[in-house]
Amino acid sequence: MADSVSGLSSVEAIDLTPVEKPRQLFLEVLYDWVTTVDHKKIGLMYIAYSLIFLVIGGIEAIVMRIQLAVPHNTFVSPQVFNRMFTLHGTTMVFFVGMPILFGFGNYLVPLMIGARDMAFPRLNAFSFWISAFGGFLLYYSFIGGSGLYGAGSAPDVGWFAYAPLTARVFSPGHSTDYWTLSILLSGIGSIGTALNIVATVICMRCPGMKLNRMPLLAWLYLVTSSMVFIAVSPLTAAQIMLMLDRYVGSHFFDAQAGGSAILWMHFFWIFGHPEVYILVLPAFAFANEIIPVFSRKAIFGYPAMVAASVGIGFISLSVWAHHMFAVGMGAGANVFFVFSTMIISVPTGIKIFNWLATIWGGKIRFASPMLFSVGFLFQFLVAGLTGIMLSVAPFDWQLTGSYFVVAHFHYVLVGAILFMIFAAFYYWFPKATGRMMSERLGKWHFWLMVIGFHLTFDFMHIPGLLGMPRRIYTYEPGRGWEIWNLLVSIGAVIQAIATLIFVYNLVHSYYKGEKAGNDPWDAWTLEWSTASPPPSYNFATTPIVHSRRPLWDIKHPEDPDWNYE
Amino acid sequence: MFIHSPSYFAQSSTSIFSPAGTPSHWIFTLSMFVLSITAVIFVIVAGLLTYALIRYRHRNLLTYNEPTQIYGSNQIELAWTVIPALIVVMLFLTASRVILATQDAKKPTDAVDVVVVGHQFWWEYRYPKLGIVTANELHVPVSDPAHPTPTYLEMSSADLDHSFWVPRLAGKMDLIPNRVNTMWIDPEAPGLYLGQCAQYCGVQHAKMLLRVYADSPKEFAAWVAQQQKPAVEDPAVAEGRAAFLRNACVNCHTISGTPANGRFGPDLTHLASRDTIASGAVENNPTNLKQWIDNPDSLKPGSLMPAMHLNDHDLNAITAYLTTLH
C-alpha cells in the first residue's frame, strides 16, 4: 500500500532499515524488555499492560451488568458487586486510561518532535515499573486484603473512596490499604512520566521545531503532563493522609473523631476532575493527528487549538466542586462552580468546531482510524452537552449520583477516549510493527463497538432520569427501570465482543498483517519519515523542520506549508 | 391506618419528569430549558458533521488530489467562541436564579421541622416541635396554597455519607457526618413518594429506600396525634414485651414508656403503623417481621441488625408484641 503512494522517495532518503537481529532466547528477550530504557519499548509495555487491565476491567463491568440485567438478581452478593465497581473504576482510570495514554505519549512524543529518546530514559523505566507495581498491588488485595489467607477480599469502598467509609471502623482488614498504596505508587509513576514528557517537549525538539510548529499531539501532551503535577500531587497527599489515618491514628478524614469527610472530597476532586481532562486531552491529541490526515487537510486554526487546550488545562483546575453540588455548599459556592464548569465548554466547543472545519471541503477516507474518530466526534459532542446539563446545579441535584452521570462519563471515557485510543491503534500500529491492522476486522470492530456502545450508554441515561441511583447492586421492579437495564446489559456484552475482535486483530496482524512501509497513510508528521518499526535511535540523521507538516514540505516542494504559517 | 397507598407493592414513579412539589417543579422547568438548548445545539452540530462526512467522503483510499488547504479563519473562529460564551452566560444566569431561590428561600413560620439522620442503612426522622420519633417512613403535610406549610429537613449523619433523594419532590441533598445540611420539600398532592439513598454508604446502600407520605392537613394531624400517643400496653402480649426487654433488642431500639431506649436502631414505638420494615426492603407483615428478627441477612444482606438466635417461643412472642405497636 505504502509503495503505491507517490512522492515518498525523498522521505525514504533519510530512512534507516532496521538491522536484522539474530534470534534470541525467551529469557534474553525478557531481559531485554525488563531492562530497556528505550522510550518506544517502554511505551509498548505501558500499552500491553493497559490492554491486560482493559480486559480485566471489562470482565468486572460484565459481572455488574449481568447482576443488573434484571431486578432482584442474585448473580453476585452485594459485597462482590461493590468490589466489582470499586475495582472497575480504579482499574479503568489508573491502570488502563492513564498508562495507555502515557504509553502512546512515550512512544510518539520523541518521534514526533524528532528526538532520539525521552529526556530522562531511566526515570522513564522507573515510572513504568512503579506504576505497574501499583496495578499488581491492587489485584494482590484479592488474596492479601484481609490477612494473607483472606481470599477474595478486594477493596469495596468505590474508586472515589469517600471518607469516612475508608476509616478503619467502616473498612476493617487491609483491602483499603492495598487500594491506597496502589494509587499512591501509580501516582508516583504518573508524576515521573509527566515530568519526563514536559522536559522532553521543552528540551528535546529537533532543529527548526519551534513551539508553534510542534505537532498538536506534542502540545496536548505538554498540557496534559503539566496538569498531572498539579492534579496528581493532591491525590498523593490525600492518600498519605488516609494512610496516616489508618495506620497511626491521625484524624484527617475520620469523622468519628472530628475529621472531615468534605476534606477528602475536595482533595479527591481537585485530582478527579482535572483527571478527566488529563485523559481526554490525549484523545484530542490523536484526533488532531488523525482527522487532518484522513481528510487530506491541514488542521483548521492551529493557534486556536493550542489556546483552547491550554485554556482547558487552566479552567479544569477550577471546576472540581461541581461534583459536590449536593453536599450542601452554600449558594455562592454553587454559583461559582456552575460558571467555571460551564465556561469550559467554550474552548471545548472551539475544538469540535475546528475539527468540523478541518473535515469541511476535504477528501475523507473512511479507513479504521477515521471511522473511530468520527464515532469520537459525535459521541464527544453528546458527552459535552450532557456535561452542560450536569453543570446546571439544580438539574445536577437530580442527576448527580444517578445512572445519568454514569452514562455521561462513560460517553467521555468510552465514547470519546476509548474510541480515540482504538483509532490511535489502527493509525500507529503500522509504525510500531511494520504491519497494517486488518481493515476488515477493523470495520467489524468499529460497527459492533458503535452498536454496543449506544445500546449501553444511550439507554443508561434513561433509568437515571427515572430516579435510579448508581452503585446499587439491585433494584426494585415497577419503576420503569427494567427494560433499560436489560438493554444496557446486552450492549455491554456486544462491546465486550467487539473488544475481543480488536485484541484478535492486534495479535493476528502482528504476525500476518500486510507489510506497511514507512508511511502507509501518506501523513505529514516526523514519525512517518523513519523506518517501521523505528530503530532504537529513531532517526539516522536529526531531522530539520521548517513548518508544522514537515513531510508535506518534502512531498510538495512546489507548495510548502511554511508559505501559509 | 389512614395510609393512602393500598399496598407496599403498588410502586409509584420516581421520574424527575413528573414533579410533585415546589423545588422539583423549579428544577423541572429549568431542566426542560437546558434540554431544549442542548438539543438545538446537538441538532445543528451533528447535522453539520453528518453533512460534511457525506458530502466530502472519498471512497478510493489511494487515488486523490489534495483538496484546497484552509489553515484557519479569525472571523469564523471568533464567532464560534463568542456565540457559545453568550449561551453560557444566559444559562448561568438562569441556573443561578433557581439556586438562589432554592437555597436561600426564607422559612415560613408554619413550616414543619424534621431532623433527618442517616444511618447504615435506614433513616431516622425526629419532629422536635411535635415530640415524634419515627424511622424510614416520613410523613409530611400537603400545603394549603393559602397557608403554606413546607417541610424543612435538617439533615445529618450518624455514620457515613448518605444522600436524601425523592426525585418527584426535590433534588438530592447529602447527609454528612459532623455537618448539618438543610433542604425543604413541599408536596402539592397527597400520596406516597419514593426515593432512595443516592450516596454509596457501604454494603447495603442499595436497600436504603425512602418513603415520603404526603398527607392532607387533616390526615397529617391525625397521624401526629397517633404517633404522640404512648406505646400500646396490650396485656395479651405482655409475654412478648417481657421477652423483648429481656433480650439484646433494648440495646439498639427504643419503645417509649418502656426501659428500651437504644438509639442505634430505629425507634419501634409505633412500628406497626409503618407499611414496611428494613427501610422499605419488605412489607411490614408478621411473616416478614419474624424472618427479619430471626435472620435479617436473609432479607437484607449486610444489615447491621444481628440475627437474634431466639428460641421459637420468644421469637413468636416478640413478633406478636411488635405487631401491636400501632
Side-chain angles (χ1 to χ4, degrees), chain A residues 1 4-5 72 78-79 82 85 156-158 160 162-165 170 254-256 258-262 265 295-302 304 326-331 334-336 338-339 342-343 345-346 350 352-354 356-357 359-367 370 374 377-378 381-382 385 388-389 392-402 464-474 476-479 481 521-522 524 549 552 556 561 564-565, chain B residues 8 11-17 24 27 30-32 34-35 37-39 41-42 45-54 56-62 64-73 76-77 80-82 84-85 88-89 91-92 95-96 98-100 102-104 120 158-161 163 165-179 181 194-207 209-210 280-281 299-302:
Chain A
M1 184 168 170
S4 57
V5 179
H72 287 170
Q79 196 166 38
N82 296 344
F85 76 66
D156 59 355
V157 291
F160 47 93
Y162 270 10
L165 185 57
F170 298 112
D254 183 1
Q256 307 269 318
S260 167
I262 304 247
M265 290 186 204
S295 308
R296 307 308 309 161
K297 293 263 304 291
I299 191 87
F300 187 92
Y302 176 99
V327 305
M329 296 187 297
N334 280 346
V335 164
F336 172 81
V338 168
F339 188 75
M342 276 183 183
I343 205 71
S345 66
V346 173
I350 292 174
I352 291 187
F353 291 129
N354 279 12
L356 173 62
I359 289 168
W360 204 271
K363 292 196 168 167
I364 304 169
R365 300 179 292 173
F366 284 108
M370 188 61 176
V374 167
L377 285 177
F378 282 98
L381 173 64
V382 174
L385 293 173
I388 290 177
M389 294 175 202
V392 177
F395 202 177
D396 184 79
W397 292 334
Q398 289 285 17
L399 297 177
T400 187
S402 81
L465 295 168
L466 297 180
M468 179 167 168
R470 61 199 284 205
R471 301 169 188 141
I472 54 173
Y473 73 93
T474 193
E476 302 295 317
R479 299 186 192 176
W481 303 348
W521 308 114
D522 192 6
W524 303 309
R549 296 194 294 168
W552 169 281
H556 301 270
D561 241 18
Y564 305 97
E565 284 168 9
Chain B
Y8 161 70
Q11 298 279 7
S12 61
S13 159
T14 49
S15 167
I16 69 165
F17 295 122
S24 60
I27 294 172
L30 175 65
S31 307
M32 282 304 161
V34 178
L35 278 172
I37 290 179
T38 48
I41 297 173
F42 176 77
V45 180
L48 286 171
L49 262 176
T50 311
Y51 172 80
L53 292 169
I54 294 171
Y56 300 108
R57 77 187 185 284
H58 199 75
R59 291 186 189 286
N60 195 322
L61 296 186
L62 296 176
Y64 51 84
N65 310 311
E66 301 286 353
T68 318
Q69 299 295 317
I70 306 160
Y71 293 85
S73 154
I76 296 176
E77 288 171 67
W80 63 47
T81 310
V82 172
V88 162
V89 169
L91 266 178
F92 164 69
S96 303
V98 180
I99 295 173
L100 294 170
T102 313
Q103 287 200 294
D104 290 352
Q120 270 185 329
D159 39 46
L160 297 160
D161 297 359
S163 192
W165 187 29
V166 183
R168 295 188 64 201
L169 297 182
K172 56 184 77 65
M173 177 58 86
D174 290 354
L175 297 83
I176 293 167
N178 297 344
R179 187 181 171 91
N181 283 334
L194 298 173
Q196 70 191 81
C197 179
Q199 184 64 271
Y200 178 61
C201 54
V203 63
Q204 197 41 281
H205 162 59
K207 286 194 181 165
L209 306 174
L210 270 160
L299 293 175
K300 198 172 167 181

Side-chain angles (χ1 to χ4, degrees), chain B residues 196-265:
Chain B
Q196 70 191 81
C197 179
Q199 184 64 271
Y200 178 61
C201 54
V203 63
Q204 197 41 281
H205 162 59
K207 286 194 181 165
M208 190 166 162
L209 306 174
L210 270 160
R211 301 167 71 81
V212 177
Y213 293 82
D215 303 329
S216 69
K218 226 167 79 188
E219 284 173 326
F220 183 70
W223 179 82
V224 168
Q226 170 69 19
Q227 297 292 312
Q228 284 171 335
K229 285 185 197 160
V232 181
E233 295 289 344
D234 189 343
V237 291
E239 197 183 349
R241 183 171 175 271
F244 183 91
L245 295 174
R246 192 168 63 234
N247 278 290
C249 313
V250 293
N251 293 340
C252 299
H253 295 287
T254 295
I255 296 178
S256 68
T258 74
N261 62 357
R263 290 283 305 274
F264 195 70

